[in-house]
Amino acid sequence: MRLYRFLSEADTSAFCHKVTEALNKGWELYGDPTQTFDHASGVMRCGQAVIKEVDGTYTPDIKLGAQ
């Protein structure tokens, strides 16, 4: 089955570390990264979709971050 996650974080090194961790766990980048201004918090936010192919059958209780 194919899993999908959307990673987001303030535009700091924490975002890069989050994406790097996912890549090192076997996730692959999916599409282009995004960036937008969060008016509520006054910061730029980044986002990146990632996908991963794994064995098994999808259920809504899958912990995507643990994959």
Side-chain angles (χ1 to χ4, degrees):
M1 87 179 122
R2 181 176 285 178
L3 303 178
Y4 170 91
R5 292 176 66 195
F6 184 77
L7 308 174
S8 66
E9 184 73 46
D11 187 11
T12 66
S13 63
F15 174 72
C16 295
H17 287 286
K18 187 181 278 191
V19 174
T20 299
E21 180 181 22
L23 293 173
N24 281 286
K25 287 183 175 180
W27 292 84
E28 296 180 26
L29 299 177
Y30 183 76
D32 294 328
T34 62
Q35 189 176 45
T36 191
F37 185 71
D38 182 347
H39 291 279
S41 62
V43 299
M44 291 298 291
R45 295 194 59 80
C46 297
Q48 175 66 57
V50 292
I51 58 173
K52 185 176 186 180
E53 206 57 55
V54 297
D55 292 333
T57 303
Y58 174 75
T59 61
D61 61 331
I62 291 174
K63 304 294 185 214
L64 297 173
Q67 295 295 322

